[in-house]
Amino acid sequence: MADYPTSFPQPEAHADKGRSLLRKWLDGADRQLRAEAERAGIFANPTITGEGRERIVRDALRNVLPPALEIGKGKVIGADGEPSRQIDIVIFDGRFPVLRQGDDALYPVEGVIGTIAIKSKLSADELRDSLDNTYSVMRIAPSLFLSPSARAPA
């Protein structure tokens, strides 16, 4: 006959262990991201540094997001308006079509889950620019699912 335990660990003990493992994983990821971001800055060229740091964040997101979500960069589009400004990181549902051109792409707004701006140094001007980029995405209404009268004003 099998030897079964007579008592079971309390749920709180498992939760503490789980939190500890998560904290260790996150601390390790934090150290790795900081080291990679610092390494990307050694070129002292804003374009190279920025592109390197964007790649670092895209790679980190790929490690934690579910497989149905994909990561890219480019512009968000709707059927009846201007595209967004250039977006550093676009998180999108991989079931939606994407119009790729090299490393950049156009993403139909219906498939976009979120966008991220990457900044090495955040000045007031950079913050305004990032907010303008965010607004350029927010103003694009999902054209397939909303009638023209239900859309927010541009």
Side-chain angles (χ1 to χ4, degrees), residues 65-88:
L65 289 176
L69 298 183
E70 296 187 31
I71 309 294
K73 67 176 186 166
K75 296 182 178 187
V76 178
I77 57 172
D80 61 349
E82 290 293 314
S84 72
R85 295 174 65 181
Q86 181 69 22
I87 304 298
D88 295 337

Side-chain angles (χ1 to χ4, degrees), residues 80-81 134-142 146-154:
D80 61 349
T134 299
Y135 180 72
S136 78
V137 174
M138 292 172 61
R139 69 173 173 70
I140 301 172
L146 294 177
S147 67
S149 62
R151 295 185 188 151

Side-chain angles (χ1 to χ4, degrees), residues 20-60:
S20 176
L21 288 172
L22 178 61
R23 172 56 53 202
K24 285 179 183 178
W25 190 91
L26 291 172
D27 287 346
D30 178 59
R31 284 190 300 276
Q32 180 181 355
L33 289 172
R34 287 177 188 272
E36 289 181 18
E38 186 176 327
R39 194 168 35 250
I42 65 172
F43 293 101
N45 176 298
T47 301
I48 294 171
T49 298
E51 288 175 357
R53 290 179 175 160
E54 289 171 20
R55 181 195 48 76
I56 291 165
V57 174
R58 280 193 299 272
D59 290 348

